[in-house]
Amino acid sequence: MSKNRKHHKAKRLAKIEMHHELGRDAYEVRLEKLQTKLRRIQQAYLHSGDSAVIAFEGWDAAGKGGTIRRMSAVLDPRGFKVWPIAAPKPHDLERHYLSRFWERLPARGGLAVFDRTWYGRVLVERVEGFAAHKEWKRAYDEINDFERLMIDNGTRLVKLFMHITPDVQLQRFEARLQDPMKRWKLSIEDFRNRESRPAYEKAIDQMFERTSTDQAPWHVIPANDKKYARISAMEIISDHLAKGVDLRPRPLDDRVREEAEQIFGLY
């Protein structure tokens, strides 16, 4: 365990209450408020120099992409980047596995979303045997140190795990299979991973235990209901990113005001 690293009490998957639901009307109202808050956060960060990383993990078809789309829809891409993380390329395998994540951390004023993350080392790489036992065992401390350095450098970090039950996952797989516009999301690995679910559950619980810290706790989102999951995730994100930040719109620059007066007579 990394030194000077107090661990946060993390829940186990089996203890998560999954019966949350949110109606359409309440969803639409809360979504609009959260999207407005996220726009204010981004504007504040662009001027304050704050930066943030939002890390999404979760089961296949748990709703990570849908949540990210509701954020992307209202944020300016000049200061907001989504990184979809797939299997490492051959040149990635020649370097430390964290290298490709260091390169994608946001600049000052930026927001970055990782759709799957550096936790692949202790999840899919562990379960599927792509990482040796000694490699994924030492990765917990490496990841904790990576996140500590990120946070100490002024980047806020939010870690979310989208959790769905096996029956709901199977229903969503079938829906994707039947929808020509969504079939591209389904792969043979999705079905293979279902067969290894007990091993993944063990790895996930250990990931929570070893890497949920006071500085960077894991937030487990019950995601059987998509609307509830999106709102819950966006509330956690916006609350953390807004903490201690002045979200009021910045006053108009005096030079811009003077120019506007001369050209438009607005003031």
Side-chain angles (χ1 to χ4, degrees):
M1 184 182 299
S2 298
K3 295 180 180 180
N4 301 320
R5 190 78 180 178
K6 186 178 179 182
H7 281 242
H8 183 269
K9 181 66 174 177
K11 291 185 178 180
R12 302 177 70 86
L13 288 180
K15 300 293 185 180
I16 303 301
E17 173 60 53
M18 299 300 294
H19 300 294
H20 300 282
E21 294 183 357
L22 185 63
R24 169 61 61 180
D25 291 344
Y27 168 75
E28 295 292 349
V29 171
R30 293 170 69 177
L31 177 63
E32 183 178 1
K33 290 181 179 179
L34 285 166
Q35 288 179 323
T36 298
K37 186 175 182 180
L38 286 171
R39 290 177 61 195
R40 290 177 175 170
I41 289 169
Q42 184 181 36
Q43 291 182 19
Y45 276 37
L46 288 171
H47 292 288
S48 69
D50 288 296
S51 61
V53 166
I54 301 100
F56 279 90
E57 286 289 350
W59 299 106
D60 296 324
K64 299 181 295 296
T67 304
I68 294 169
R69 283 196 298 276
R70 270 64 184 183
M71 299 171 61
S72 303
V74 296
L75 296 178
D76 192 317
R78 290 173 291 183
F80 177 74
K81 178 65 178 178
V82 177
W83 296 107
I85 301 301
K89 303 295 184 183
H91 69 272
D92 294 319
L93 298 175
E94 297 176 357
R95 304 179 298 166
H96 192 281
Y97 72 95
L98 288 174
S99 297
R100 61 179 175 146
F101 301 106
W102 274 114
E103 294 171 349
R104 289 168 170 79
L105 295 183
R108 299 293 183 190
L111 306 175
V113 168
F114 286 83
D115 184 356
R116 298 207 180 277
T117 71
W118 43 95
Y119 282 97
R121 175 55 55 115
V122 296
L123 294 177
V124 64
E125 293 182 34
R126 166 184 173 172
V127 174
E128 304 299 335
F130 299 133
H133 183 269
K134 64 180 181 180
E135 291 176 324
W136 66 258
K137 285 287 286 186
R138 72 168 182 258
Y140 298 114
D141 285 346
E142 293 172 340
I143 287 171
N144 285 336
D145 289 339
F146 169 62
E147 293 177 353
R148 176 181 55 79
L149 290 169
M150 186 193 314
I151 294 167
D152 287 350
N153 194 47
T155 298
R156 301 185 185 215
L157 173 61
V158 184
K159 302 189 303 192
L160 304 165
F161 187 92
M162 311 291 278
H163 181 40
I164 55 174
T165 54
D167 57 328
V168 169
Q169 184 185 52
L170 194 60
Q171 292 170 12
R172 294 184 185 177
F173 282 178
E174 183 178 9
R176 288 181 175 183
L177 191 65
Q178 300 299 328
D179 187 343
M181 298 300 292
K182 292 185 178 180
R183 287 175 188 164
W184 66 271
K185 295 183 177 182
L186 202 58
S187 70
I188 189 65
E189 283 77 17
D190 295 329
F191 293 104
R192 289 175 180 168
N193 290 344
R194 274 183 60 83
E195 296 176 0
S196 302
R197 182 159 178 134
Y200 275 102
E201 289 177 345
K202 180 180 178 180
I204 291 163
D205 281 341
Q206 190 168 5
M207 175 187 75
F208 292 156
E209 179 184 351
R210 295 292 303 274
T211 65
S212 192
T213 65
D214 283 351
Q215 280 188 302
W218 275 106
H219 302 277
V220 184
I221 309 296
N224 276 357
D225 182 86
K226 290 182 179 180
K227 294 187 290 295
Y228 174 85
R230 290 169 190 162
I231 295 302
S232 296
M234 292 172 67
E235 285 180 340
I236 291 169
I237 292 166
S238 62
D239 286 349
H240 187 72
L241 268 56
K243 188 175 181 180
V245 178
D246 185 356
L247 301 184
R248 292 174 297 180
R250 289 177 61 85
L252 190 62
D253 184 275
D254 289 340
R255 293 171 297 177
V256 175
R257 185 189 303 275
E258 292 172 3
E259 193 70 17
E261 287 177 349
Q262 295 179 17
I263 297 176
F264 302 111
L266 295 179
Y267 295 92

